[in-house]
């Protein structure tokens, strides 16, 4: 990353975004159907916010309302201190950058041209860029680490590279707030992690607030400064990821018949059956992986000192050894352990 | 501009100039290029019948062809970008159907039809009446589409709406055609062939400025069209007043299409093909180079079509519409297959 000075440093805005008793939803012919109500949220500059919630709960509707892509039913949204309803299209574009889920189908435009489109409100009558515009475009391209892509055709980029470029385009608008609606939806796992890392880094480097909705819960809990969790009933739980985990809200929102949230590991587990308790002896990676095999096969892993487990397993460099009331057996790799456990559950 | 873009634009400019001279030299009688240039430089030297042919017949015809070609090219580009649809053309909103209806009412019903009677009472006859009828018909359909579409958020729905209006209006025309006398059908068919020959110097005084104004308006929206390349949602988020730009673009492109249809008949194909070929040649979707390119290529293609339609000699004139399509379709196919870089090829 090149050492760059962020344009617009020292903007006088305190809260980048604030909503007051906001209700979002849809207007029918005569009625209004609110999806989320009484939303009071604030984001400060330098914060990365992840918006989480089950499918269809209204995350996109909330983001679209914050971005003024649809009108609020009630209440207000303030961006950098100004009510959203009172700012012009151009002024809005200078405060707010947006990245959407939708794939952009444009051919025969270079990455530099796409990022340059972010200067729409700044550039002249025919879209000619000044030195100041070019500096902002260059800064945005460097900020997302896309310097090596500038002359490439946008349509020939990978999905991850495209989203980076779309973020650079939004940054070129020099916004105080960046809103991203499921930007990782089409990406493979490394690209997802990279993208979230990039967003976090952006909030650290310049006075920028980022609000991003995602289904990637575990990644969000590891990366975000603040979590906004939309519960199935429509109420919002907000706070630092760890506080939200502690509140138990994540389990309530996402747990189903087959999955459980494990707060200690901040991850979900599949419920695969009840083979009984399993104690794992040994330490390090091998013991942890042995525990993973046991869990997948439907055992509840308990501490090694627990009384009367159904099975006990010891894992070390030599392989694994398992003993139960009935006897003992051993093997070299985890596939054989899994095989043995599956065979055991068939008999019972 | 890249070197490639500069080269393409320069080549197109040269091509337009060359084809323009050629279109003046070729026709029912061939005139040597030297005399063409002489007649252009000294138009006042009367007494020379060849110079008369050039200045009063061929020159207005060629100027009309260039204006019409440029107008259709640019209007097609606007519609394709606005609707993000490779098949959109200047008539996507039912404009040419509306014009046809106006013309059908006059041509098929003239003498006793109310439209014909109204026009005759204003002292309009023949071509002028047809042009006026086409403009009124196109304006009515465009007005309807614009009013209805202002309540529609999705651009694809607007496109379908225009298509449906077109079908409905065409159906009315078909009913009129079915009910009319054979001798009137001849004149109706003639209009449908399309022609650049009907526009005299006098009529160019109206046609010329209107088209130039449309082209200038379109040229001044290159920045908006570029923003629309990413789709309406992104364009809006970058500060574009989407509804207003959509309305203005639809209005501008439709007026260009309607004017060409009113003065030259329904010229098909050119409006779809020229933008695609230009994207292929330039390897870019940037409207700042695309707009001048479609203006130049549109003018050149229209002139070539004009030349070809008169080619066979011996007084046979091929329908202009047949020429543009027969000539252009293979070119477009070739360009698309070879380059795969049009804005919509993916």
């Amino acid at each position: 990353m090149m050492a760059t000075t962020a344009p617009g440093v020292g903007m006088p805005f305190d809260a980048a975004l604030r909503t007051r008793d906001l209700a979002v939803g849809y207007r029918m012919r005569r009625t209004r159907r609110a999806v989320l109500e009484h939303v009071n949220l604030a984001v400060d500059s330098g914060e990365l916010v992840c918006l989480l919630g089950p499918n269809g709960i209204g995350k996109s509707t909330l983001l679209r309302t914050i971005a003024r892509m649809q009108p609020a039913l009630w209440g207000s949204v303030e961006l950098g201190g100004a009510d959203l309803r009172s700012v012009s299209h151009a002024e809005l574009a200078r405060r707010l950058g947006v990245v959407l889920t939708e794939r952009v189908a444009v051919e025969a435009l270079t990455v530099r041209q796409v990022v340059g489109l972010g200067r729409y409100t700044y550039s002249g009558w025919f879209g000619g860029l000044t030195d100041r515009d070019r500096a902002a475009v260059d800064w945005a391209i460097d900020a997302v680490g896309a310097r090596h892509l500038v002359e490439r055709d946008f349509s020939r980029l990978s999905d991850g590279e495209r989203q980076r470029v779309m973020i650079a385009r939004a940054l070129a608008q020099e916004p105080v707030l960046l809103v991203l609606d499921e930007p990782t939806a089409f990406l493979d796992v490394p690209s997802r992690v990279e993208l979230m890392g990039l967003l976090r880094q952006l909030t650290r480097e310049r006075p920028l607030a980022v609000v991003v909705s995602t289904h990637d819960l575990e990644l969000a809990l590891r990366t975000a400064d603040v979590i906004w969790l939309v519960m199935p009933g429509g109420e919002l739980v907000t706070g630092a990821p760890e506080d939200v985990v502690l509140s138990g809200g994540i389990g309530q929102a996402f747990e189903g018949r087959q999955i459980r949230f494990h707060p200690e590991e901040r991850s979900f587990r599949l419920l695969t059956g009840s083979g009984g308790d399993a104690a794992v002896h040994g330490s390090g990676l091998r013991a942890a992986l042995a525990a993973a095999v046991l869990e997948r096969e439907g055992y509840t892993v308990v501490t090694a000192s627990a009384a009367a487990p159904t099975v006990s397993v010891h894992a070390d460099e030599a392989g694994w050894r398992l003993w139960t009331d009935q006897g003992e057996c051993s093997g070299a790799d985890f596939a054989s352990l899994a095989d043995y456990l599956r065979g055991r559950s068939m008999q019972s | 501009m890249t070197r490639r873009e500069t080269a393409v634009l320069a080549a197109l400019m040269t091509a337009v100039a060359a084809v323009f001279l050629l279109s003046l030299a070729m026709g029912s009688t061939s005139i040597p290029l030297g005399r063409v240039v002489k007649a252009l430089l000294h138009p006042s030297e009367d007494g020379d019948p060849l110079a008369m042919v050039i200045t009063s017949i061929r020159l207005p015809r060629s100027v009309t062809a260039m204006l019409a070609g440029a107008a259709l090219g640019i209007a097609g580009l606007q519609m394709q970008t606005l609707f993000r649809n490779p098949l959109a053309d200047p008539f996507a909103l039912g404009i040419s159907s509306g014009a046809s209806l106006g013309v059908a009412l006059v041509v098929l019903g003239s003498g006793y039809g109310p439209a014909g009677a109204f026009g005759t009472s204003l002292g309009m006859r023949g071509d002028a009446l047809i042009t006026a009828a086409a403009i009124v018909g196109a304006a009515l359909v465009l007005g309807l589409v614009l009013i209805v579409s202002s309540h529609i958020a999705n651009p694809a729905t607007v496109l379908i709406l225009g298509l449906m209006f077109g079908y409905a209006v065409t159906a009315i025309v078909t009913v009129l055609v079915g009910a009319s006398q054979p001798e009137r059908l001849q004149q109706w068919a003639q209009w449908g062939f399309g022609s650049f020959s009907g526009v005299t110097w006098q009529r160019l005084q109206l046609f010329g400025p209107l088209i130039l104004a449309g082209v200038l308006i379109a040229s001044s929206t290159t920045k908006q069209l570029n923003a629309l390349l990413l789709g309406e949602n992104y364009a809006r988020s970058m500060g574009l007043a989407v509804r207003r730009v959509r309305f203005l673009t639809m209005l501008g492109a439709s007026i260009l299409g309607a004017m060409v249809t009113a003065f030259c008949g329904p010229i098909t194909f050119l409006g779809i093909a020229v933008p695609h070929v230009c994207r292929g040649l330039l390897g870019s979707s940037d409207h700042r180079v695309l707009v001048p390119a479609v203006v130049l290529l549109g003018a050149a293609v229209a002139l070539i079509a004009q030349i070809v339609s008169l080619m066979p000699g011996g007084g046979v004139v091929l329908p202009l519409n047949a020429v543009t399509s027969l000539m252009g379709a293979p070119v477009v196919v070739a360009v698309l297959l070879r380059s795969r870089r049009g804005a919509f090829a993916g």
Side-chain angles (χ1 to χ4, degrees):
Chain A
M1 196 71 34
M2 287 172 61
T4 47
T5 329
V9 170
M11 292 255 210
F13 309 121
D14 45 346
L17 170 77
R18 187 184 299 280
T19 70
R20 294 185 200 276
D21 200 30
L22 178 71
V24 304
Y26 297 92
R27 285 159 203 265
M28 307 296 180
R29 269 181 201 290
R30 280 192 183 73
T31 60
R32 299 171 173 193
R33 195 170 70 80
V35 177
L36 298 174
E37 286 180 287
H38 310 299
V39 179
N40 291 293
L41 295 166
V43 191
D44 284 327
S45 207
E47 279 183 337
L48 171 62
V49 178
C50 280
L51 174 59
L52 305 173
N55 263 335
I57 198 76
K59 300 193 295 289
S60 283
T61 314
L62 178 59
L63 289 188
R64 289 175 58 83
T65 309
I66 288 173
R68 208 175 73 179
M69 296 170 89
Q70 70 180 65
L73 294 187
W74 296 283
S76 66
V77 179
E78 285 167 24
L79 210 58
D83 191 314
L84 212 55
R85 287 167 295 197
S86 68
V87 296
S88 66
H89 284 288
E91 185 56 38
L92 180 64
R94 292 178 189 213
R95 295 183 185 217
L96 173 76
V98 175
V99 176
L100 304 163
T101 320
E102 66 184 48
R103 292 181 68 152
V104 174
V106 58
E107 295 246 337
L109 274 191
T110 64
V111 165
R112 187 189 293 282
Q113 284 173 320
V114 171
V115 177
L117 291 176
R119 300 300 291 175
Y120 180 84
T121 62
Y122 300 87
S123 60
W125 187 256
F126 289 101
L129 300 183
T130 62
D131 288 345
R132 169 87 179 68
D133 293 323
R134 272 185 220 103
V137 168
D138 278 332
W139 169 81
I141 288 170
D142 286 330
V144 303
R147 174 59 48 194
H148 59 295
L149 300 174
V150 282
E151 296 307 329
R152 295 265 303 276
D153 186 334
F154 180 76
S155 62
R156 308 269 168 110
L157 301 180
S158 72
D159 288 332
E161 288 168 335
R162 282 188 201 204
Q163 284 301 51
R164 268 174 189 267
V165 173
M166 291 311 279
I167 291 171
R169 177 205 50 87
L171 286 177
Q173 293 171 220
E174 298 179 38
V176 291
L177 175 69
L178 202 58
V179 168
L180 305 95
D181 189 8
E182 290 182 30
T184 58
F186 292 116
L187 308 188
D188 57 24
V189 174
S191 305
R192 285 173 187 217
V193 179
E194 270 179 27
L195 194 81
M196 291 298 285
L198 166 65
L199 293 176
R200 184 178 170 75
Q201 185 192 337
L202 289 175
T203 58
R204 297 298 179 274
E205 283 175 352
R206 62 163 302 176
L208 176 75
V210 176
V211 176
V212 51
S213 74
T214 178
H215 283 296
D216 216 326
L217 202 110
E218 296 172 23
L219 183 56
L221 291 175
R222 281 173 220 285
T223 341
D225 297 310
V226 176
I227 295 287
W228 294 349
L229 174 65
V230 189
M231 301 296 289
E235 66 270 32
L236 271 156
V237 177
T238 62
E242 294 71 24
D243 288 327
V244 171
V245 166
L246 204 59
S247 77
I250 296 202
Q252 276 178 48
F254 293 99
E255 277 182 359
R257 272 197 313 137
Q258 297 288 322
I259 50 170
R260 286 285 172 276
F261 183 69
H262 283 235
E264 296 84 0
E265 289 130 29
R266 290 167 295 159
S267 68
F268 285 92
R269 293 287 166 79
L270 202 56
L271 293 183
T272 44
S274 53
D277 290 348
V280 178
H281 302 263
S283 62
L285 179 61
R286 283 165 205 278
L289 291 174
V293 173
L294 285 160
E295 270 181 9
R296 188 169 71 240
E297 296 305 333
Y299 293 84
T300 309
V301 176
V302 294
T303 51
S305 55
T310 319
V311 296
S312 298
V313 175
H314 179 88
D316 59 22
E317 283 76 16
W320 57 269
R321 199 155 50 79
L322 179 147
W323 62 97
T324 65
D325 308 345
Q326 289 106 45
E328 226 183 282
C329 78
S330 64
D333 58 4
F334 291 116
S336 57
L337 174 59
D339 270 346
Y340 175 79
L341 291 171
R342 276 198 288 275
R344 222 182 95 80
S345 68
M346 297 278 239
Q347 288 160 23
S348 61
Chain B
M1 263 197 291
T2 64
R3 192 179 300 166
R4 176 176 176 183
E5 288 163 354
T6 318
V8 168
L9 288 181
L12 285 175
M13 244 179 268
T14 318
V16 171
V19 183
F20 175 66
L21 285 179
L22 214 57
S23 75
L24 295 178
M26 297 172 80
S28 48
T29 49
S30 292
I31 301 173
L33 275 178
R35 300 206 43 187
V36 170
V37 175
K38 206 173 136 215
L40 285 179
L41 294 177
H42 310 285
S44 54
E45 272 178 35
D46 47 9
D48 182 356
L50 285 184
M52 277 287 292
V53 167
I54 289 171
T55 52
S56 60
I57 297 176
R58 294 190 185 176
L59 194 54
R61 189 172 67 197
S62 294
V63 171
T64 304
M66 288 200 294
L67 288 171
L72 292 178
I74 212 166
L77 176 66
Q78 284 177 300
M79 290 294 203
Q80 286 175 6
T81 299
L82 182 65
F83 292 113
R84 304 177 75 207
N85 187 319
L87 292 176
D89 74 357
F91 312 117
L93 300 177
I95 306 312
S96 93
S97 309
S100 305
L101 179 61
V103 174
L105 282 172
V106 168
V107 170
L108 302 175
S110 70
Y112 44 84
F118 179 69
T120 314
S121 70
L122 287 175
M124 294 168 95
R125 296 208 347 259
D127 288 348
L129 185 58
I130 288 180
T131 301
I135 291 175
V136 171
L140 284 178
V141 170
L142 177 62
L144 267 176
V145 172
L146 288 182
I147 288 169
V148 178
S149 70
S150 65
H151 300 288
I152 296 174
N154 186 351
T157 315
V158 175
L159 200 55
I160 296 172
L161 182 84
L163 211 60
M164 291 305 124
F165 266 91
Y167 280 130
V169 173
T170 306
I172 301 174
V173 173
T174 310
V175 171
L176 283 174
V177 168
S180 59
Q181 295 151 337
E183 60 268 28
R184 298 207 191 279
L185 285 178
Q186 175 66 28
Q187 199 190 352
W188 165 251
Q190 199 70 44
W191 181 77
F193 290 161
S195 165
F196 298 132
S197 309
V199 183
T200 58
W201 279 122
Q202 197 197 345
R203 309 189 70 206
L204 257 178
Q205 288 170 10
L206 181 61
F207 184 64
L210 279 172
I211 296 294
L212 283 179
V215 170
L216 281 180
I217 291 171
S219 312
S220 69
T221 59
T222 52
K223 178 178 153 178
Q224 284 81 349
L225 291 174
N226 274 347
L228 280 171
L229 284 175
L230 300 185
E232 288 200 352
N233 283 334
Y234 272 122
R236 186 180 291 114
S237 84
M238 294 186 297
L240 183 81
V242 168
R243 287 286 174 105
R244 194 170 71 220
V245 168
R246 189 207 279 176
F247 181 85
L248 283 177
T249 306
M250 277 164 50
L251 188 71
S254 298
I255 287 178
L256 284 175
M259 284 305 144
V260 174
T261 309
F263 283 88
C264 310
I267 311 278
T268 53
F269 192 77
L270 224 154
I272 291 188
V274 165
H276 286 298
V277 176
C278 286
R279 281 189 208 98
L281 288 173
L282 292 166
S284 173
S285 299
D286 185 349
H287 288 80
R288 279 175 292 170
V289 288
L290 267 180
V291 166
V294 293
V295 165
L296 292 169
L297 187 67
V301 169
L303 282 172
I304 294 171
Q306 166 63 27
I307 294 171
V308 173
S309 75
L310 295 174
M311 273 290 243
V316 185
V317 178
L318 294 176
L320 195 61
N321 262 331
V323 175
T324 50
S325 301
L326 283 177
M327 202 176 66
V331 175
V332 173
V333 171
V335 168
L336 288 183
L337 289 183
R338 245 194 78 222
S339 65
R340 213 200 75 84
R341 281 175 69 91
F344 305 99

